[in-house]
């Protein structure tokens, strides 16, 4: 991967002064060239009538942000109304709300961790506050990876408490400033850059070490930068420009170089600190909860999904409305819910008269397996929920569990035939979830070849396919209603693309059919691979018999 620096702008509290911010950005870009992205921490929205009128101009398209802008969520109850979903979404063109907390990883490998809002002081937490569970969900999947060295950038609205220790002093009230939980988070995530706001001050701390000298091997340093409010009267700095090469592609010896002004870690522990941490910081023990507890709770306050008419394409040909998932309110236990009902004929609801039942291979309690119509290969199948669900992120836990059982059974089945298992889902212009499962012979290519083929073809079509950390659930970054494309490789590596506007409907098939993988480019379009009903029945019967020894539903 090319180690070309990424040009980044970071900004403090915008407080609704969008035109002032973007005019300044345009002036900088005119002078120094285009930047790749703008990261905003602190309070992005304002509460004045002027601020709300200005936002309407961006919502209606009268004005447009001149750069890809990523923002944090509300830092006060007054601005919560501006965020339609706690899980993150594109608010308007070029302005994206990252979400409550999580990791954003671009195709360049740049890894940005983020936490919105302020630390909750009591339960139940208000909508603009984060909890210890939020931070645990963010940290645990990362530090459980033996290869984890830190993140490139950490975005928080609050300062980490005590960040000024061993360093230069800020112009803030250090008795009340900052969050101990954010300090603990920064210590665990070891960001190369950490940005925060809310204090109305500019503070660029001397870089600090992330290792103990002579006791641990050298790590990279962290630079903490707090930024002031846009257009503040005192003209304090609110924009910070920098270049960064992602840690993932940096030479290790370059990464760990220590600048002359480096200081000790301000979050170094003492016995007194450990006592305080038990009261104020999040725990990483997580009481041995199962891994799924470390993912975003997407059923807390869902919304923001945009309905869209379709006809569906690909294997699905029914007509209907785009369905959004429902959920419960924050602080209330999730109630079991029936899957939403299709608004029109559905080709994949098993109870529907439109289902081509001669293609069914196996039927479980919540899911079923069907031979793909016009499949890439004879063993190309679909895992589908029996009830009507729009996408994987809409599924209830029992459906997910059975879907995982089918995935495991298919992996074993393909392995016995010298094939690796590749899965993909396109949640765009589709009505009913179809998890495509395609076997690729081991002797044709490696997993890395398949991953590279997806990345290269995505880049050619100007799509940023990003890699999801291994222990991160898809629900963490794609709330119900989000159009996306998702790939899971046999190595358990996961690739994700948030569909913005148009998306090539046959993208997954085109990549796998390409010369680099299956080398059957003429089969990229399913419509060109149709068989007669008699041929389909014969192929399905043969596949059903082959799969039977691996079919747990048969045993049940």
């Amino acid at each position: 991967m090319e180690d070309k620096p990424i040009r980044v702008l970071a900004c403090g509290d915008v407080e609704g002064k969008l035109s002032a911010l973007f005019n300044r950005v345009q002036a900088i870009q005119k002078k120094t060239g285009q930047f790749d992205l703008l990261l905003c921490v602190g309070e992005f929205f304002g509460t004045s009538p002027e601020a709300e009128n200005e936002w309407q101009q961006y919502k209606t398209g009268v004005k447009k942000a001149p750069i890809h802008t990523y923002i944090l969520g509300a830092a006060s109850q007054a601005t919560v109304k501006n965020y339609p979903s706690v899980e993150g979404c594109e608010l308007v063109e070029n302005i994206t709300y990252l979400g409550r907390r999580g990791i954003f990883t671009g195709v360049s490998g740049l890894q940005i961790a983020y936490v919105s809002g302020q630390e909750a002081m009591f339960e139940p937490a208000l909508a603009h506050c984060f909890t210890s569970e939020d931070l645990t969900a963010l940290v645990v999947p990362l530090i459980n990876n033996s290869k984890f060295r830190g993140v490139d950038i950490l975005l928080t609205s609050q300062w980490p408490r005590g960040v000024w220790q061993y360093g230069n002093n800020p112009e803030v009230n250090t008795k009340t400033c900052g969050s101990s939980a954010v300090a603990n988070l920064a210590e665990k995530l070891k960001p190369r850059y950490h940005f925060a706001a809310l204090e109305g001050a500019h503070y660029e701390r001397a870089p600090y070490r992330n290792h103990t000298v002579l006791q641990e091997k050298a790590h990279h340093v962290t630079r903490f930068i707090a930024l002031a409010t846009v257009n503040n009267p005192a003209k304090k700095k609110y924009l910070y420009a920098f270049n960064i090469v992602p840690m993932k592609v940096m030479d290790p010896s370059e990464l760990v170089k220590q600048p002359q002004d480096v200081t000790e870690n301000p979050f170094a522990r003492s016995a007194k600190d450990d006592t305080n941490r038990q009261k104020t910081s999040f725990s990483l023990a997580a009481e041995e909860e199962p891994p799924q507890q470390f993912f975003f709770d997407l059923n807390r306050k869902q919304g923001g999904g945009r309905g869209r008419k379709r006809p569906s394409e690909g294997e699905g040909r029914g007509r209907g409305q785009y369905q959004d998932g429902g959920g419960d309110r924050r602080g209330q236990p999730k109630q079991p819910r029936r899957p939403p009902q299709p608004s029109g004929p559905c080709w994949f609801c098993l109870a529907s008269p439109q289902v081509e039942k001669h293609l069914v291979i196996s039927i479980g309690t919540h899911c079923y397996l069907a031979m793909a119509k016009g499949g890439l290969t004879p063993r190309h199948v679909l895992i589908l929920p029996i009830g009507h669900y729009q996408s994987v992120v809409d599924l209830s836990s029992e459906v997910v569990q059975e879907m995982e059982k089918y995935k495991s059974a298919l992996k074993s089945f393909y392995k016995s035939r010298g094939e690796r298992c590749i899965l993909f889902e396109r949640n765009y212009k589709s009505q009913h979830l179809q998890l495509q499962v395609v076997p690729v012979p081991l002797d044709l290519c490696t997993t890395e070849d398949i991953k590279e083929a997806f990345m290269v073809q995505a880049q050619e079509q100007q799509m940023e396919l990003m890699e999801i950390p291994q222990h991160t659930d898809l629900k963490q970054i794609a709330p119900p209603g989000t159009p996306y494309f998702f790939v899971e490789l046999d190595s358990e590596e996961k690739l994700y693309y948030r569909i913005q506007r148009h998306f090539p409907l046959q993208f997954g098939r085109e990549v796998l059919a390409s010369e680099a993988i299956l080398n059957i480019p003429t089969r990229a379009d399913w419509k060109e691979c149709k068989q007669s009903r008699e041929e389909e029945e014969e192929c399905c019967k043969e596949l059903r018999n082959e799969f039977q020894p691996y079919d747990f539903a048969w045993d049940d």
Side-chain angles (χ1 to χ4, degrees):
M1 186 179 290
E2 184 183 0
D3 57 351
K4 180 183 176 183
I6 298 162
R7 305 191 71 208
V8 183
L9 284 169
C11 179
D13 304 271
V14 180
E15 294 185 347
K17 305 182 192 82
L18 303 184
S19 294
L21 167 63
F22 292 134
N23 288 342
R24 178 72 179 131
V25 169
Q26 282 182 308
I28 292 172
Q29 294 196 133
K30 187 175 180 180
K31 185 176 180 180
T32 65
Q34 191 72 22
F35 279 78
D36 296 297
L37 65 160
L38 167 63
L39 306 173
C40 296
V41 292
E43 196 74 273
F44 184 77
F45 290 101
T47 55
S48 68
E50 294 80 11
E52 294 186 1
N53 289 338
E54 193 169 347
W55 176 237
Q56 282 300 318
Q57 292 183 295
Y58 285 86
K59 287 181 75 171
T60 56
V62 174
K63 292 184 177 180
K64 176 186 168 184
I67 185 172
H68 290 297
T69 304
Y70 297 90
I71 71 172
L72 295 183
S76 65
Q77 197 65 30
T79 59
V80 168
K81 63 182 180 180
N82 294 293
Y83 298 90
S85 165
V86 298
E87 293 82 27
C89 56
E90 185 180 54
L91 298 178
V92 297
E93 186 177 357
N94 268 3
I95 301 180
T96 299
Y97 162 46
L98 286 167
R100 187 178 188 80
R101 78 281 195 264
I103 295 286
F104 176 83
T105 306
V107 69
S108 61
L110 187 72
Q111 195 170 48
I112 302 171
Y114 55 90
V115 176
S116 293
Q118 304 199 51
E119 182 181 0
M121 293 294 105
F122 50 83
E123 291 287 350
L126 297 174
H128 69 282
C129 296
F130 63 82
T131 65
S132 59
E133 288 78 13
D134 286 318
L135 301 190
T136 299
L138 173 58
V139 170
V140 170
L142 292 171
I143 65 173
N144 279 352
N145 185 341
S146 59
K147 295 181 180 179
F148 178 72
R149 292 181 293 173
V151 296
D152 290 303
I153 300 171
L154 173 61
L155 306 177
T156 62
S157 285
Q158 279 184 297
W159 290 31
R161 183 156 181 76
V163 69
W164 46 84
Q165 294 184 73
Y166 309 120
N168 44 317
N169 289 321
E171 295 177 357
V172 296
N173 183 347
T174 55
K175 291 182 178 180
T176 59
C177 174
S179 158
S180 296
V182 171
N184 201 5
L185 179 71
E187 183 188 16
K188 295 290 182 294
L189 294 188
K190 298 178 173 61
R192 293 165 65 199
Y193 284 87
H194 180 179
F195 294 97
L198 293 186
E199 298 294 332
H202 168 237
Y203 172 58
E204 192 164 343
R205 190 204 187 278
Y208 64 81
R209 295 187 185 95
N210 283 295
H211 67 278
T212 304
V213 178
L214 300 180
Q215 294 182 30
E216 299 172 298
K217 67 178 184 178
H219 286 277
H220 58 270
V221 301
T222 293
R223 290 174 168 83
F224 174 74
I225 297 113
L227 294 163
T229 308
V230 170
N231 263 18
N232 63 88
K235 300 192 182 302
K236 295 177 182 177
K237 187 171 183 177
Y238 64 84
L239 263 181
Y240 182 90
F242 65 108
N243 294 342
I244 184 170
V245 174
M247 184 187 305
K248 187 176 181 180
V249 297
M250 274 192 77
D251 182 282
S253 62
E254 286 294 318
L255 178 64
V256 301
K257 280 186 176 178
Q258 307 291 299
Q260 287 188 342
D261 59 343
V262 68
T263 77
E264 293 301 317
N265 191 314
F267 313 122
R269 299 192 180 194
S270 67
K272 183 180 178 181
D273 289 338
D274 284 338
T275 302
N276 290 336
R277 279 165 194 268
Q278 292 173 9
K279 299 176 183 176
T280 60
S281 297
F282 62 99
S283 165
L284 294 182
E287 283 129 359
E288 299 299 320
E289 289 180 336
Q292 60 264 30
Q293 297 303 312
F294 299 136
F295 304 144
F296 282 138
D297 180 2
L298 288 180
N299 296 294
R300 285 188 167 179
K301 202 185 229 183
Q302 293 173 1
R306 288 173 288 185
R308 62 177 72 219
K309 291 192 176 180
R310 52 181 293 282
S312 99
E313 196 280 339
E315 285 78 14
R317 295 166 294 172
R319 292 198 179 120
Q321 293 292 323
Y322 190 88
Q323 300 287 326
D324 282 348
D328 60 357
R329 298 239 174 212
R330 180 174 174 79
Q332 296 179 352
K334 179 180 175 182
Q335 300 298 319
R337 60 181 173 90
R338 293 176 61 197
Q341 301 304 303
S343 57
C346 178
W347 288 87
F348 295 106
C349 287
L350 195 56
S352 169
Q354 284 79 24
V355 169
E356 298 188 71
K357 292 186 170 62
H358 67 286
L359 298 177
V360 175
I361 297 166
S362 167
I363 302 176
T365 306
H366 305 286
C367 302
Y368 71 99
L369 204 63
M371 188 177 80
K373 198 173 185 69
L376 276 167
T377 72
R379 286 187 282 274
H380 177 178
V381 299
L382 309 177
I383 306 176
L384 307 113
I386 290 173
H388 187 79
Y389 291 93
Q390 171 71 34
S391 68
V392 163
V393 299
D394 289 316
L395 298 179
S396 58
S397 59
E398 62 269 17
V399 184
V400 171
Q401 288 170 8
E402 188 165 272
M403 188 165 278
E404 289 298 322
K405 288 178 71 174
Y406 268 122
K407 284 162 65 172
S408 180
L410 286 167
K411 286 175 183 177
S412 299
F413 172 51
Y414 292 151
K415 185 177 180 181
S416 71
R417 283 158 173 74
E419 297 168 325
R420 65 179 87 251
C421 179
I422 307 300
L423 303 98
F424 68 89
E425 178 197 3
R426 186 197 76 226
N427 182 31
Y428 174 70
K429 294 194 175 180
S430 57
Q431 184 188 13
H432 188 113
L433 163 61
Q434 306 156 47
L435 189 60
Q436 308 270 342
V437 191
V438 182
V440 177
L442 293 169
D443 57 2
L444 278 185
C445 59
T446 66
T447 303
E448 196 58 37
D449 292 330
I450 298 173
K451 180 179 177 181
E452 184 179 1
F454 273 103
M455 287 293 198
V456 169
Q457 196 140 328
Q459 284 180 323
E460 288 177 355
Q461 307 214 29
Q462 297 182 316
M463 301 186 304
E464 188 173 31
L465 198 62
M466 67 180 191
E467 188 171 343
I468 303 173
Q470 186 175 353
H471 298 288
T472 301
D473 189 84
L474 182 60
K475 289 184 177 184
Q476 183 173 342
I477 53 174
T482 302
Y484 64 82
F485 177 79
F486 173 72
V487 184
E488 185 175 328
L489 305 174
D490 61 307
S491 60
E492 296 189 7
E493 292 174 282
K494 302 169 186 176
L495 307 176
Y496 168 85
Y497 172 63
R498 159 73 161 90
I499 297 173
Q500 304 292 342
R501 290 182 191 80
H502 304 296
F503 181 77
L505 298 178
Q506 302 289 355
F507 178 72
R509 288 183 64 117
E510 286 169 358
V511 173
L512 294 176
S514 67
E515 292 182 11
I517 312 301
L518 291 170
N519 195 21
I520 47 174
T522 56
R523 298 188 69 84
D525 188 340
W526 76 277
K527 298 191 213 68
E528 301 301 319
C529 308
K530 286 183 182 176
Q531 296 174 296
S532 67
R533 185 182 176 93
E534 291 73 23
E535 289 172 325
E536 288 177 340
E537 287 177 344
E538 185 60 35
C539 289
C540 189
K541 181 181 177 183
E542 184 178 340
L543 183 54
R544 195 181 297 120
N545 291 335
E546 289 178 347
F547 181 67
Q548 186 183 321
Y550 304 87
D551 188 356
F552 62 88
W554 184 274
D555 298 332
D556 294 343

